[in-house]
Structure formats: C-alpha cells, structure tokens
C-alpha cells in the first residue's frame, strides 16, 4: 500500500481531475510521483523484501531454468515432430480436438484421488505422468487443427445474409470463444494437480523433512490457486479485441520468457508429483516440487504486475466513438493492466451532447479518465507527465505519431498500434513502415 504525505502550499498549475468511469462523482487524485506541490510517496516497508525475492528468483531463472529449458525444448521438439507426423498420417476424427483431450485428462483426477485414498502408489503416479503427456498432446492437436483450417482456407461467414436475417456473435463473445482453449488448458491443469497435492498432505511420513514437505506443498497449492483465480478474472473480463502482438519491445527484462516459465513449471510440478507419490523416490519428487515453487511465484507475479497504458486526448471522443475507436481502446487496454485516457473538459458539453469525457467514461475498456479544465492549454504528454501520473506507456495510432513528444519516443515509452494488430515502439523501423 502506498501512503501519501501532502505538503502545504498552493499549486499554481491547472488542476487536473481523474474520474473513474464507473463512478458518478469526481475525485481529485494526486500524482503518484514527487511533484512540485510537495506530494510525496512513501514506499511500502515490505517492498524491499519483495525486491530481494524477485532478484533471487531472477538469478534462479538465469542460472538454472534457462539451461534446463534448452534440454527441455530439444526433447519436446522431437516429441512434437513424431506426434505431428502421426496425426498427419492417421487423420484423426473431427471430435478429437484439444478441448476433448483437456476434458479427458482432467477427469483422471477422480481415479487418481481414489487410488491415493486407498494407499496405492504406482497407479496414481502413472496417472500423473499420463496427464502430463496429455497436456503436451492437446497443444499438438490444437496446432494440427489450425493448420488444417488454413489449408482448407475457410472464410468467415458474411455478417449480413442475402435472403434472411443472420445471428452473429459480439466482439466479446468472439474473443472469449477464441481464447477458451487456452483458458481451459491452464485452469484444468490446476483442477487436476491442486487436489492431488491436498491429498498428498495426508501421506507425508514422520521424518526430519516433514516440515519441508508441508511447506513446499502448501506454497504450490496457494500459488496455483492464486494463478487460477487470476486466470478466471482475466478470461471473464477480457475485452472484445485481442491484445496486440508486441514487436520490438519486451515488457519483461527477465532471462526467461513467460512461456518458458510455464513450460518449466509444468514439467517440474507433474514429474515432481509423480515421484513424490512413490515412497522410494519421494525426496526426488520433493526436490523437483521445491524447484517449481519459485516458478509458481514468478508466474503469479507476472500475471498481476501493473502496467498502466495512456491515451492522450482522443479526438473522436467529442463526436461519439465509432467501432474503430472502440477497438483501439480495447487494444490499448489489452497491452496492460489499466487504461487511462486524458481528455479536456468541453464547455457546454452537457447541452451540445458532444461530451468527450462522458464518452470516454462510457467505454468499458477505460479504467480512469484524467480531465483537464476547459479553456486551458492542453498539457504535453511528455515523460515528466507520464511519470507524474504513474503512466507507463503512451499508446497511439500511426497517424498520431508525428504529434508525440520526442522525449517519450526516445525513452521507448510510446507504443503504436497498427492495422495488423501489432504494437511497436514509435521510432522503430517497423513502426516507421507502418506509419508510411
């Protein structure tokens, strides 16, 4: 939590107000950084602890996980080629989809828990390994059906029927349908493994490493439960437009990408669980599960990391927003965890109906609106402004790039969303091509 100390004194600058789009009242918001009027931030006393943990985890990723992923990728690439060749040769039926495999492997949690409760070891261990293989297989099958559809060159059905009315999904429904497979895969992994860990808590023997086993299992249970909660929230609050692909900029400076963390975590958790069930090699499983704990923490940390995007004075807000502008807001929101829009209040907007602030607040993708008083010069969205208001990146269209302040471009804090749904840093060669 951040606590603020407000210094006394009169602020000579134009007063700016931030409005939450789902609130009816206006509330003054002090900038999150130190400002000329004396507003200060006192860092949280526990922040150094989390900084230390993050540094240790990053060292672990760079020295242990990155080399491990090299061997992991070689083995799984060979397995992927063999399975894909088998699918191409056998031509599976249309019902054999990735979602079918995901549902099927999730059901195996029932026999696994039953056999664990009976005190069996070998059968539940084999079930865990089979489920892990199924997790890899559903990805291969998903890619297979994507390539099949591309070969058939299936075209989207026209929105307007020639002879009778047609029913088409909304953007939100379309986006949820397209992202359902990934959401289902991630959640079902947790639905299987978390109950297994809970059941294994009752099988821990009275040994000198008993406490360590409890700590490792509980850390994984809590981390994966938190990760699943974040996944649910992200899926059911997703915007109608897919998040742009980011080219030329990596939001994370980590040595291991997010998908690499997920791959290593999944393998360590599943094989660690399978070995932990077997009494003879329980401690091997414990070591693997302990190795997965930092990855589970890092996975959750990256999911909840705040990244505030900013759109400065969108012109279309005064005259009403069309679908292209709404889509731009959704895309900008998809790049981060929050979207803030800066807009100057319009005189007589309530009578003319051209209220850009109200229009921006009405967009579900917008989290907050910074309202500048009417009759003043619109502040420049430079680096000092972004820092003052706690904004990480300025987001714009290719047509707006010439009006972006140069220091924002040099700092790499301006992202340009092109028509190809790709976000590039302003000033990059790719962004320049799109601007032309």
């Amino acid at each position: 939590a951040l606590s603020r100390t407000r210094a006394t004194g009169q602020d000579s600058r134009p007063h700016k107000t931030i409005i939450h789009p789902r609130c009816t009242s206006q509330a003054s918001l002090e900038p999150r950084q130190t400002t000329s009027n004396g507003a200060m931030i006192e860092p949280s006393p526990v922040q150094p602890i989390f900084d230390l943990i993050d540094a240790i985890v990053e060292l672990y990723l760079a020295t242990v996980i990155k080399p491990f992923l090299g061997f992991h990728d070689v083995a799984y690439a060979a397995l992927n080629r063999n399975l894909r060749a088998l699918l191409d040769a056998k031509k599976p039926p249309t019902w054999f989809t990735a979602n079918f495999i995901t549902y099927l492997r999730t059901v195996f949690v029932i026999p696994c828990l039953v056999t664990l409760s009976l005190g069996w070891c070998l059968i539940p261990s084999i079930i865990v390994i089979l489920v892990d293989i199924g997790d890899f297989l559903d990805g291969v099958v998903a890619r297979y059906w994507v390539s099949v559809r591309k070969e058939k060159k299936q075209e989207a059905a026209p929105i307007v029927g020639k002879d009778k009315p047609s029913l088409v999904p909304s953007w939100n429904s379309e986006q949820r349908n397209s992202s359902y497979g990934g959401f289902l895969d991630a959640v079902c992994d947790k639905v299987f493994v978390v109950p297994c860990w809970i059941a294994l808590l009752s099988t821990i023997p009275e040994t000198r490493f008993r406490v360590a086993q409890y700590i490792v299992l509980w850390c994984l249970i809590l981390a994966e439960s938190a990760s699943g909660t974040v996944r649910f929230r992200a899926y059911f609050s997703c915007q109608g437009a897919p998040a742009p692909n980011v080219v030329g900029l990596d939001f994370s400076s980590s040595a291991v990408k997010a998908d690499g963390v997920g791959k290593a975590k999944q393998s360590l958790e599943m094989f660690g669980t399978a070995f932990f069930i077997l009494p003879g090699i329980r401690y091997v499983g414990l070591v693997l599960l302990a190795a997965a704990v930092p990855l589970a923490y890092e996975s959750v940390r990256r999911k909840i990391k705040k990244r505030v995007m900013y759109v400065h004075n969108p012109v279309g807000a005064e005259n009403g927003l069309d679908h292209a502008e709404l889509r731009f807001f959704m895309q900008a929101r998809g790049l981060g965890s929050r979207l803030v829009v800066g807009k100057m209040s319009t005189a007589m907007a309530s009578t003319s109906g051209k209220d850009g602030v109200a229009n921006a607040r009405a967009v579900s993708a917008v989290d907050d609106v910074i309202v500048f008083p009417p009759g003043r010069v619109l502040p420049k969205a430079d680096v000092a402004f972004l820092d003052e208001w706690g904004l990480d990146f300025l987001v714009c269209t290719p047509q707006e790039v010439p009006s972006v302040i140069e220091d924002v471009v040099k700092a790499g804090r301006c992202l340009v969303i092109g028509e190809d749904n790709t976000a590039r840093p302003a000033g990059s060669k790719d962004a320049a091509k799109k601007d032309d």
Side-chain angles (χ1 to χ4, degrees):
L2 298 178
S3 60
R4 306 178 187 277
T5 302
R6 189 188 301 269
T8 59
Q10 189 73 18
D11 189 357
S12 59
R13 297 171 304 164
H15 181 67
K16 296 181 280 290
T17 302
I18 191 165
I19 301 178
H20 192 283
R22 294 159 187 82
C23 298
T24 56
S25 61
Q26 297 185 1
S28 177
L29 179 70
E30 289 294 330
R32 297 196 301 180
Q33 303 292 329
T34 302
T35 62
S36 59
N37 68 350
M40 300 285 293
I41 288 180
E42 294 180 4
S44 171
V46 299
Q47 188 59 44
I49 299 177
F50 284 103
D51 291 340
L52 177 61
I53 294 175
D54 293 344
I56 295 173
V57 171
E58 181 57 36
L59 179 63
Y60 173 68
L61 292 175
T63 58
V64 178
I65 299 303
K66 190 174 182 179
F68 166 76
L69 283 173
F71 296 102
H72 178 279
D73 292 343
V74 171
Y76 274 73
L79 182 59
N80 178 76
R81 287 194 299 270
N82 293 330
L83 289 175
R84 180 57 189 269
L86 181 63
L87 291 174
D88 290 334
K90 297 297 183 180
K91 305 295 182 184
T94 55
W95 55 264
F96 190 73
T97 63
N99 288 350
F100 171 80
I101 298 173
T102 302
Y103 288 128
L104 181 63
R105 63 185 174 85
T106 306
V107 173
F108 274 94
V109 70
I110 298 176
C112 187
L113 294 178
V114 170
T115 52
L116 283 174
S117 66
L118 294 176
W120 297 0
C121 297
L122 183 59
I123 292 179
S125 180
I126 294 174
I127 290 175
V128 173
I129 296 297
L130 291 176
V131 168
D132 185 48
I133 295 174
D135 181 49
F136 177 77
L137 178 61
D138 63 18
V140 178
V141 172
R143 291 187 290 272
Y144 168 78
W145 286 116
V146 168
S147 63
V148 168
R149 285 192 292 269
K150 286 183 178 180
E151 290 176 0
K152 292 182 178 180
K153 297 181 180 180
Q154 295 180 351
E155 297 181 357
I159 293 180
V160 180
K162 295 182 179 179
D163 301 323
K164 58 181 181 180
S166 57
L167 181 68
V168 296
S170 67
W171 281 0
N172 278 339
S173 297
E174 205 169 49
Q175 177 62 14
R176 286 180 183 173
N177 290 338
S178 64
S179 61
Y180 178 72
F183 163 76
L184 180 69
D185 181 68
V187 170
C188 285
D189 289 340
K190 296 160 181 48
V191 169
F192 177 85
V193 75
V194 171
C196 290
W197 290 334
I198 295 175
L200 288 173
L201 289 171
S202 62
T203 66
I204 296 177
E206 295 285 348
T207 63
R208 58 180 177 175
F209 295 109
R210 183 169 183 247
V211 175
Q213 295 176 58
Y214 276 117
I215 291 175
V216 169
L217 288 178
W218 272 114
C219 285
L220 290 173
I221 290 169
L222 294 176
E224 292 299 344
S225 298
S227 178
T229 302
V230 175
R231 282 275 191 174
F232 263 97
R233 185 180 184 277
Y235 176 73
F236 287 103
S237 62
C238 68
Q239 301 299 320
N245 299 317
V246 181
V247 176
L249 176 69
D250 187 4
F251 288 130
S252 174
S253 59
S254 174
V256 180
K257 307 299 183 185
D259 59 342
V261 172
K263 291 177 183 177
K265 178 175 70 69
Q266 176 74 8
S267 297
L268 292 173
E269 285 179 349
M270 298 303 286
F271 280 95
T273 302
F275 294 161
F276 190 85
I277 295 173
L278 301 173
I281 53 176
R282 174 181 289 265
Y283 291 120
V284 176
L286 178 62
V287 170
L288 295 178
L289 291 176
V293 171
L295 301 179
Y297 165 81
E298 179 68 8
S299 178
V300 175
R301 187 189 71 84
R302 293 190 184 188
K303 288 183 177 69
I304 63 176
K305 184 175 178 61
K306 291 184 179 179
R307 188 185 305 120
V308 185
M309 299 296 169
Y310 177 65
V311 176
H312 189 60
N313 195 38
V315 178
E318 278 84 4
N319 300 319
L321 299 167
D322 61 18
H323 73 278
E325 291 161 328
L326 290 173
R327 186 178 185 86
F328 173 73
F329 279 137
M330 295 176 185
Q331 291 172 319
R333 178 63 172 79
L335 289 170
S337 59
R338 295 184 66 79
L339 175 62
V340 177
V341 174
K343 195 65 199 165
M344 180 172 285
S345 180
T346 307
M348 305 298 291
S350 59
T351 57
S352 65
K354 297 181 179 181
D355 191 341
V357 174
N359 289 339
R361 294 178 65 197
V363 180
S364 62
V366 177
D367 294 288
D368 294 296
V369 180
I370 300 177
V371 183
F372 305 105
R376 306 286 184 90
V377 177
L378 186 69
K380 295 180 179 180
D382 53 13
V383 170
F385 175 86
L386 297 180
D387 291 339
E388 181 183 6
W389 288 94
L391 309 170
D392 296 310
F393 290 91
L394 173 69
V395 186
C396 65
T397 62
Q399 293 75 22
E400 296 170 326
V401 170
S403 62
V404 176
I405 306 300
E406 186 177 356
D407 67 340
V408 177
V409 177
K410 290 182 177 179
R413 296 177 63 178
C414 177
L415 291 175
V416 184
I417 301 179
E419 295 181 359
D420 57 350
N421 196 37
T422 299
R424 300 174 174 85
S428 65
K429 294 181 179 180
D430 291 335
K433 292 178 181 178
K434 293 297 176 182
D435 294 347
D436 296 338

